[in-house]
Amino acid sequence: MRLLILLLLFGSATSWAQLLQIEVTDAQTNARLEESFAVLKGSAPIKSNNGIITIPQRAFPFELIIKATFYIPDTIQVSQAQTTPLKVALQAQVQEQKNVVVSAGKRRQAIEEIPVSMEILRPQLIDNKGITDLEQAVDQTPGVYTMDGQVSIRGGSGFAYGTGSRVLLLWNGMPLLSGYAGDTQWNAIPMEQASQVEVMKGAASVLYGSGALNGVIALAEKEPTLVPVTRVKVQYGLYGAPRRSSLQWWTTPPMNQQLEVFHSALKKRFGYTLSTTGYHNDGYRIGESEFRARVSGTLYAKAILDKRLKAGLGYNYQVQKTGSFLIWQSDSLGYTPSGYGDTTAGASTVSYNFGQRLFLDPYAKFIDQHNNLHQLKTRLYWVSNENLSNASQSNAATISYADYTFQRKFGEGSTLSAGATAIQNVVNSQLFGNHSSQNYAAYTQLEYHKNKLDLSAGMRLEYFEMDQQKPDSQFLLPGKDSISLPFYPVLRTGMHYALKPFTHLRASLGQGIRYPSVAERFTQTSVGALNIFPNPELQPEMGWAGEIGIKQGFKIGNWKAMVDAAFFVNQYSNMMEFSFIYYNPITQKPLDPLNPSAEDLQFLTSGQYNISDWVGFQAQNAEKARISGLDLSFNSSGQLGKVELISLIGYTYMNPISLNCNPQYTANFSDTTTNMLKYRFKHLAKADIEANYQKLSFGASLRYNSFMRNIDRVFEDDLDPSLTSEVYILPGLKAYRQLYNRGNLVVDARFAYTIKEQYRISFIVNNLLNAEVTSRPGDIQAPRNFMLQIQAKF
């Protein structure tokens, strides 16, 4: 596009221009483009200072090309001088902007230029599939698997009873894990506010700290535009009959409903977003109902006296009442909880909770006179769970978070990032007891760009202590076992090389660390026949992740596609996992019934020993593991003839092996002929394809994982064969796994019709083939279900 601008002559007539200033802004948001620059024929590019480009004296007339990363360039002709800055508004490159990510380096980057594997989920996919919480959305991502609230990237995590996470959730660049369990509250994330979901695979602890050992899931909120936007989504669904009639407990099909409203507006110096969501689900399992209501948004403001300063406040509050299902009654009654109908206190494994979630995010962003970025992000995150079934299991936690980041750009696109983070966590709990922790860190990362090459390296120094005890972050100096540092160093490095315009090579190697959560160290509870025991001595886990990859792009007309292949290796030591043990409540340590110590023998012969009370699971540093494999993905969008075709397809091969050869440990495997890690599989495939023709739309999704070969043996065996009556945690599981041993395959389909570009009516069928699948032992997923959805945009 070419813009002809005539500038009026001022002062005495002259053929030379005075200093000319050009203000470069986004045409939609009116925000200054800090990374803009001007190209003048015969001269080096002239960079902007906070979106202002200053052009030195030059003979009239002359031509300028105004550019900014991810924006369409504009060419202007300057023929005369002017006293006030010239304003140029650039349009975003819509097709390219879909491949822009932020989480990899805490700044905007093209996805093909980063040295790690990353996938992007579009808000349109989340809306069009009728997804109701973030866990369902993440489960659509290639290489990612969700298991009863736990997320695993490339096989990095197994089943952990909802505690701890090796994948860090970020909202607006700040961690959002609960203070007591270190888990993600998936249903409390305001997806309607998100511009996109970024899934980064591999260790990312240098920039984000503990919890990013296996990867990062990052969401950034939508920013308001000059044109106000209002969106409304209403959907109504019901569950069909399961394939096995013994599972069906209802006479009237269970139903679910959701209402979602989003609005945004931007004035000259003030903008806001506001959304609200209401959701109700009867649940397809007895007692697993859910009701939640949420309000969230952000207030934006620019300083009146200094345009370089921007501040805002994000907020999110949710209230909910949920029923939690943990263990089935039997394989034939898989939708009925263990203990259902038993009036004995504590017999039922369904628990009802009243929960509240609140976070407040004040932030400020400033560009100094040298064009350096200073950014302060803070958060107050409060979570409360009141157990309505058992008050002794209620808990609450408050996290105070602050992060300061400094960024300086230099050279031909190089960036230096540095900062410091402080986290305070206070837990008040009937279940875990009262605890507190402090986490402080300093970090830096250098990204060097030269022509086709990008190099990056970073380091983080992290300090962590819980309950004012010896720091968990202590680091023993190599070769000096008696000398330690109170902080733990974490390193990463990466490389990207543009071999050709659409061919990109990359390699990365990064370390990670994760500290134990309060729940992993101090939980002691029983749910039916399942017991969990505390382990105050639990230590942090460490690991590293490396990969070599290639990304190849190609284009057919207006249709763009990207093929990605990556070979990866992840290795972990001191890996925390829940292991089956016999427990001595006196010593509060595991016991060996075949070779008991004197203290254990005293307990065993005291008459207090009831095997069903003192066998169960305890979080232990039991594992050393390596996971290697191949990750393939294919993403596309654009027009093929008259059809818009959008796809997100991936296949991951994983070889998750245990490096722990202790026979006492491997004896707990359900399959002792293999060293395959528990609760993992070798093959994972995901695909979503959507075709749009005029006003019609059709989409289909596929999710497949191979058989979960290895689990805890105790889930299949009788707890005490010496007794006349059998005692099982999950009755019928062994026979069930022998029957359903070919993995899981789920197919979804959706149809939609658009009316006047403002309204979209959809009919969605999830689990189209009505397959019976499990995400973990004893967790049979939903049968075929149907949904009617209406989306409106004003």
Side-chain angles (χ1 to χ4, degrees):
M1 182 182 79
R2 218 171 155 84
L3 174 66
L4 179 61
I5 301 178
L6 298 177
L7 302 177
L8 297 178
L9 184 64
F10 72 100
S12 61
T14 178
S15 63
W16 291 87
Q18 304 299 316
L19 289 178
L20 172 67
Q21 288 191 325
I22 302 173
E23 181 181 12
V24 186
T25 62
D26 184 301
Q28 287 294 316
T29 65
N30 202 33
R32 283 186 181 177
L33 300 181
E34 300 155 9
E35 299 182 11
S36 57
F37 61 95
V39 178
L40 192 63
K41 187 175 180 180
S43 301
I46 303 171
K47 297 180 182 179
S48 73
N49 186 345
N50 187 33
I52 298 291
I53 301 173
T54 301
I55 307 297
Q57 291 185 356
R58 174 166 292 271
F60 289 125
F62 60 89
E63 183 178 86
L64 286 173
I65 302 175
I66 309 300
K67 293 185 176 182
T69 309
F70 314 121
Y71 286 82
I72 300 172
D74 197 359
T75 302
I76 64 174
Q77 294 283 346
V78 181
S79 59
Q80 294 180 349
Q82 173 171 308
T83 56
T84 59
L86 173 67
K87 291 190 176 182
V88 176
L90 299 184
Q91 296 284 346
Q93 293 178 337
V94 178
Q95 294 299 322
E96 293 297 329
Q97 201 171 19
K98 291 182 179 179
N99 292 324
V100 175
V101 296
V102 178
S103 56
K106 290 195 172 185
R107 64 186 183 91
R108 287 164 57 87
Q109 295 173 275
I111 191 171
E112 58 267 23
E113 296 177 358
I114 63 174
V116 296
S117 293
M118 180 173 282
E119 304 288 350
I120 299 175
L121 288 178
R122 312 294 174 206
Q124 294 84 353
L125 175 62
I126 296 172
D127 286 335
N128 295 347
K129 282 185 61 65
I131 290 171
T132 58
D133 67 43
L134 183 58
E135 182 181 3
Q136 297 173 9
V138 170
D139 199 35
Q140 305 295 317
T141 309
V144 180
Y145 182 74
T146 63
M147 183 191 309
D148 199 20
Q150 303 287 139
V151 172
S152 175
I153 297 178
R154 293 173 172 173
S157 300
F159 178 49
Y161 302 89
T163 62
S165 178
R166 296 187 183 98
V167 177
L168 185 63
L169 176 68
L170 300 175
W171 176 261
N172 282 339
M174 293 180 283
L176 200 60
L177 299 179
S178 71
Y180 49 82
D183 65 335
T184 299
Q185 311 289 302
W186 297 105
N187 67 357
I189 308 304
M191 292 187 299
E192 67 279 4
Q193 288 272 349
S195 59
Q196 65 184 19
V197 181
E198 302 171 9
V199 180
M200 184 163 52
K201 305 172 184 180
S205 289
V206 165
L207 289 179
Y208 298 111
S210 177
L213 187 62
N214 187 214
V216 166
I217 298 171
L219 296 89
E221 63 191 354
K222 300 172 184 175
E223 292 197 3
T225 59
L226 291 173
V227 178
V229 174
T230 300
R231 299 178 186 272
V232 179
K233 183 172 68 176
V234 180
Q235 55 191 42
Y236 184 91
L238 59 84
Y239 296 98
R243 179 170 291 188
R244 285 192 297 149
S245 59
S246 65
L247 296 179
Q248 184 172 333
W249 52 270
W250 59 81
T251 54
T252 302
M255 301 178 184
N256 58 82
Q257 307 86 28
Q258 177 169 296
L259 170 64
E260 181 181 292
V261 180
F262 170 86
H263 178 72
S264 69
L266 177 65
K267 303 299 181 182
K268 188 174 182 180
R269 294 195 176 278
F270 175 79
Y272 67 91
T273 64
L274 174 66
S275 69
T276 183
T277 301
Y279 176 72
H280 172 259
N281 186 9
D282 293 330
Y284 62 91
R285 295 187 279 207
I286 294 178
E288 198 174 46
S289 60
E290 179 179 7
F291 169 80
R292 65 176 185 262
R294 177 173 64 237
V295 60
S296 58
T298 303
L299 303 174
Y300 299 86
K302 290 185 178 180
I304 296 176
L305 299 179
D306 195 337
K307 292 183 178 181
R308 298 175 298 174
L309 177 62
K310 178 182 177 181
L313 172 67
Y315 57 91
N316 182 70
Y317 174 72
Q318 177 168 301
V319 60
Q320 64 183 43
K321 183 180 179 181
T322 58
S324 300
F325 179 106
L326 185 61
I327 301 173
W328 70 22
Q329 188 156 302
S330 67
D331 59 324
S332 59
L333 297 174
Y335 290 163
T336 304
S338 175
Y340 179 71
D342 189 339
T343 58
T344 305
S348 175
T349 58
V350 169
S351 61
Y352 295 94
N353 293 272
F354 175 77
Q356 298 180 78
R357 317 278 187 260
L358 170 69
F359 60 79
L360 298 173
D361 297 352
Y363 73 90
K365 177 180 176 182
F366 179 70
I367 308 293
D368 66 24
Q369 60 183 354
H370 301 293
N371 215 25
N372 300 317
L373 169 66
H374 303 265
Q375 188 163 251
L376 177 64
K377 292 185 176 182
T378 63
R379 169 172 291 155
L380 177 68
Y381 183 32
W382 173 70
V383 177
S384 172
N385 280 322
E386 179 186 354
N387 192 309
L388 303 176
S389 305
N390 184 353
S392 66
Q393 295 190 2
S394 299
N395 48 72
T398 302
I399 293 179
S400 302
Y401 175 93
D403 177 86
Y404 166 76
T405 301
F406 168 85
Q407 282 189 348
R408 178 175 177 81
K409 301 183 187 303
F410 61 93
E412 300 178 6
S414 300
T415 303
L416 173 66
S417 301
T421 304
I423 307 174
Q424 301 265 349
N425 179 30
V426 177
V427 176
N428 297 291
S429 173
Q430 301 282 340
L431 178 60
F432 315 123
N434 296 337
H435 301 276
S436 64
S437 64
Q438 291 79 39
N439 189 181
Y440 305 106
Y443 59 88
T444 184
Q445 179 167 285
L446 175 64
E447 297 167 281
Y448 173 78
H449 175 80
K450 182 71 173 180
N451 298 325
K452 299 179 180 181
L453 178 66
D454 293 280
L455 299 174
S456 62
M459 179 178 67
R460 186 183 188 93
L461 301 177
E462 187 144 313
Y463 176 87
F464 180 90
E465 69 170 38
M466 183 179 290
D467 295 333
Q468 299 180 340
Q469 300 297 310
K470 178 181 176 182
D472 288 302
S473 53
Q474 280 201 325
F475 176 74
L476 292 174
L477 294 176
K480 299 182 181 295
D481 294 342
S482 61
I483 302 177
S484 65
L485 300 175
F487 49 81
Y488 195 91
V490 179
L491 306 173
R492 73 168 296 273
T493 185
M495 180 276 293
H496 159 261
Y497 184 75
L499 188 63
K500 294 182 179 180
F502 297 102
T503 306
H504 300 266
L505 304 177
R506 70 176 184 274
S508 65
L509 181 66
Q511 296 176 309
I513 186 170
R514 184 175 77 87
Y515 301 108
S517 67
V518 170
E520 288 171 301
R521 275 183 166 163
F522 300 107
T523 297
Q524 181 162 1
T525 189
S526 298
V527 182
L530 180 64
N531 298 310
I532 306 293
F533 301 113
N535 183 6
E537 306 302 319
L538 195 64
Q539 298 299 307
E541 62 183 10
M542 286 76 71
W544 58 266
E547 73 168 65
I548 299 175
I550 181 171
K551 193 182 291 288
Q552 177 65 55
F554 56 91
K555 182 179 179 182
I556 302 175
N558 292 321
W559 184 69
K560 299 180 180 180
M562 194 77 74
V563 178
D564 189 278
F567 294 93
F568 64 87
V569 179
N570 299 341
Q571 184 150 321
Y572 304 95
S573 59
N574 251 16
M575 201 172 189
M576 290 180 275
E577 69 168 33
F578 280 86
S579 300
F580 178 74
I581 63 165
Y582 295 86
Y583 186 73
N584 186 334
I586 298 175
T587 63
Q588 296 188 354
K589 294 181 179 179
L591 64 83
D592 182 356
L594 300 179
N595 187 26
S597 65
E599 292 175 312
D600 294 338
L601 185 62
Q602 181 182 1
F603 170 67
L604 291 170
T605 58
S606 66
Q608 303 176 27
Y609 186 77
N610 184 331
I611 193 167
S612 62
D613 294 335
W614 303 116
V615 297
F617 292 86
Q618 182 187 61
Q620 295 184 343
N621 299 111
E623 193 67 272
K624 185 176 183 180
R626 180 186 303 126
I627 305 168
S628 57
L630 171 66
D631 202 357
L632 304 173
S633 68
F634 174 84
N635 304 324
S636 71
S637 64
Q639 295 283 140
L640 275 176
K642 295 183 179 181
V643 178
E644 181 187 24
L645 189 63
I646 305 169
S647 66
L648 177 63
I649 303 171
Y651 165 75
T652 307
Y653 168 78
M654 298 161 285
N655 184 31
I657 61 172
S658 170
L659 303 179
N660 187 345
C661 300
N662 187 334
Q664 287 187 329
Y665 175 72
T666 56
N668 290 321
F669 287 7
S670 61
D671 185 350
T672 56
T673 64
T674 179
N675 65 343
M676 185 174 179
L677 286 172
K678 293 180 291 184
Y679 306 104
R680 272 81 164 187
F681 31 76
K682 286 185 174 292
H683 305 279
L684 179 65
K686 304 285 180 73
D688 185 89
I689 301 174
E690 181 173 292
N692 301 308
Y693 175 72
Q694 294 182 358
K695 297 181 178 182
L696 298 175
S697 177
F698 170 76
S701 295
L702 177 148
R703 298 182 299 282
Y704 169 79
N705 63 267
S706 57
F707 181 58
M708 188 178 287
R709 184 173 172 182
N710 219 345
I711 65 170
D712 282 293
R713 184 175 182 176
V714 67
F715 284 135
E716 295 184 342
D717 292 351
D718 185 356
L719 286 178
D720 190 354
S722 65
L723 299 178
T724 56
S725 59
E726 296 179 334
V727 179
Y728 288 96
I729 297 176
L730 288 168
L733 179 63
K734 188 170 187 177
Y736 184 90
R737 282 171 48 80
Q738 291 172 347
L739 180 63
Y740 295 91
N741 61 0
R742 296 184 178 180
N744 296 327
L745 174 64
V746 178
V747 178
D748 306 329
R750 58 188 185 272
F751 307 86
Y753 182 76
T754 302
I755 304 173
K756 295 182 179 180
E757 297 185 356
Q758 286 183 305
Y759 304 95
R760 178 185 172 103
I761 302 175
S762 304
F763 180 66
I764 304 165
V765 183
N766 293 318
N767 194 1
L768 180 66
L769 305 179
N770 207 23
E772 185 172 321
V773 300
T774 57
S775 66
R776 61 159 175 85
D779 185 42
I780 302 177
Q781 296 297 290
R784 181 190 295 124
N785 54 93
F786 310 90
M787 186 179 299
L788 182 64
Q789 181 194 80
I790 299 176
Q791 298 182 48
K793 178 182 177 180
F794 307 100

